[in-house]
């Protein structure tokens, strides 16, 4: 019994970081273009503003979220309309059941380009980044002009170089008004290794296991004395 409870508690501690990366459903409110970065036809260039709620434990609510569109084939929700989305890690684990594309490398490449842009805006214009991302995800649909494709830069792509935790937000089609499979990329600051805080459910499981160990030990002492 003692060994079993210890195993349960240890398993909960080990699995907590993995549980925190499982796909979850939350709400996304699309608030439009974040800046004057131009357009391709009628499509505004990212990044975009948004408000995210309910995606815990993947990340906290963020009413000032910065989003990047990854799919030229589908339109964003109406401005200020709240819709349901899945949030899926594009690092590990990756679950393609919750994304439009069954190719984690595409999402990682897009995230890599965005990080290059954020680190050096002078050399990576938003229009070049957005155009390259749309070309990656919609090569047969996107025919925008007036941007420099950054495919040569992607030759240096390495998923291990990503410095933030990235998530793909996919319309989960639970709202009949908007079933367009729109996807955005969203990032949060990475939690340093060794400082991952288990979720409340995991902590409760660990506490239950430790309490059981204490009760078992107390019962054994009582039996010895009697």
């Amino acid at each position: 019994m003692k060994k079993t409870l210890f195993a349960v508690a240890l398993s909960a501690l080990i699995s907590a970081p993995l549980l925190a990366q499982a796909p979850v459903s939350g709400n996304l409110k699309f608030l439009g273009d974040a800046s004057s970065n131009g357009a391709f036809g009628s499509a505004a260039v990212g990044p975009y503003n948004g408000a995210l709620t309910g995606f815990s434990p993947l990340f906290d609510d963020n009413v000032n979220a910065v989003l990047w569109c990854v799919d030229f084939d589908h339109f964003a929700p109406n401005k200020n309309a709240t819709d349901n989305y899945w949030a899926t890690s594009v690092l590990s684990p990756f679950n393609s059941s919750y994304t439009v594309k069954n190719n984690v490398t595409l999402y990682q490449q897009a995230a890599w380009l965005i990080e290059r842009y954020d680190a050096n805006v002078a050399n990576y214009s938003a229009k070049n980044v957005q155009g390259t991302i749309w070309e990656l995800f919609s090569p047969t649909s996107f025919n925008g002009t007036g941007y420099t494709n950054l495919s040569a830069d992607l030759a240096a792509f390495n998923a291990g170089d990503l410095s933030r935790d990235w998530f793909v937000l996919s319309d989960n089609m639970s709202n009949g008004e908007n079933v367009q499979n729109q996807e955005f990329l969203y990032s949060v600051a990475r939690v340093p290794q060794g400082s991952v805080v288990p979720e409340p459910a995991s902590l409760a499981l660990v506490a239950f296991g430790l309490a059981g160990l204490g009760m078992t030990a107390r019962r054994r002492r009582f039996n010895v004395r009697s």
Side-chain angles (χ1 to χ4, degrees), residues 1-13 199-217 219:
M1 177 67 175
K2 183 177 180 180
K3 292 183 177 179
T4 299
L5 289 172
F6 178 76
V8 170
L10 181 61
S11 175
L13 281 173
E199 295 304 311
S202 298
L203 289 174
L205 186 58
V206 172
F208 173 77
L210 294 176
L213 288 176
M215 292 176 62
T216 301
R219 186 178 297 111

Side-chain angles (χ1 to χ4, degrees), residues 29 64 81 85 178 203 224:
K29 180 179 288 187
N64 298 301
Y85 278 70
N178 180 35
L203 289 174
V224 170

Side-chain angles (χ1 to χ4, degrees), residues 14-217:
I14 294 174
S15 63
L18 296 180
L19 290 172
Q21 290 190 349
V24 297
S25 179
N27 297 314
L28 183 154
K29 180 179 288 187
F30 178 73
L31 301 176
D33 194 11
S35 60
S36 300
N37 293 317
F40 297 114
S42 60
V45 170
Y48 308 97
N49 290 320
L52 306 177
T53 55
F55 288 101
S56 177
L58 281 185
F59 46 79
D60 295 331
D61 292 351
N62 185 352
V63 296
N64 298 301
V66 176
L67 310 171
W68 282 84
C69 176
V70 298
D71 189 355
F72 184 78
D73 288 333
H74 302 98
F75 295 98
N78 295 327
K79 189 174 181 180
N80 294 316
T82 299
D83 202 5
N84 299 118
Y85 278 70
W86 288 109
T88 306
S89 170
V90 302
L91 297 177
S92 178
F94 173 76
N95 191 332
S96 61
S97 298
Y98 297 84
T99 60
V100 172
K101 299 290 186 180
N102 183 17
N103 189 337
V104 66
T105 301
L106 288 180
Y107 296 104
Q108 292 174 344
Q109 287 178 318
W112 190 86
L113 286 175
I114 296 167
E115 286 198 5
R116 302 286 77 72
Y117 166 77
D118 289 339
N120 193 346
V121 177
N123 291 334
Y124 286 87
S125 74
K127 197 163 187 175
N128 292 342
V129 172
Q130 184 69 89
T132 304
I133 292 174
W134 282 345
E135 187 72 22
L136 280 173
F137 282 82
S138 309
T140 60
S141 300
F142 177 66
N143 58 1
T145 59
Y147 77 101
T148 300
N149 192 294
L150 301 176
S151 56
D153 297 64
L154 286 176
F157 163 74
N158 183 343
D161 290 338
L162 291 171
S163 64
R164 300 175 65 82
D165 286 329
W166 286 89
F167 305 91
V168 54
L169 306 178
S170 304
D171 185 349
N172 67 16
M173 298 184 291
S174 63
N175 184 338
E177 180 183 352
N178 180 35
V179 291
Q180 301 170 63
N181 288 333
Q182 178 65 44
E183 289 190 328
F184 296 97
L185 277 175
Y186 171 71
S187 67
V188 296
R190 181 166 297 167
V191 177
Q193 282 189 332
S195 62
V196 176
V197 179
E199 295 304 311
S202 298
L203 289 174
L205 186 58
V206 172
F208 173 77
L210 294 176
L213 288 176
M215 292 176 62
T216 301

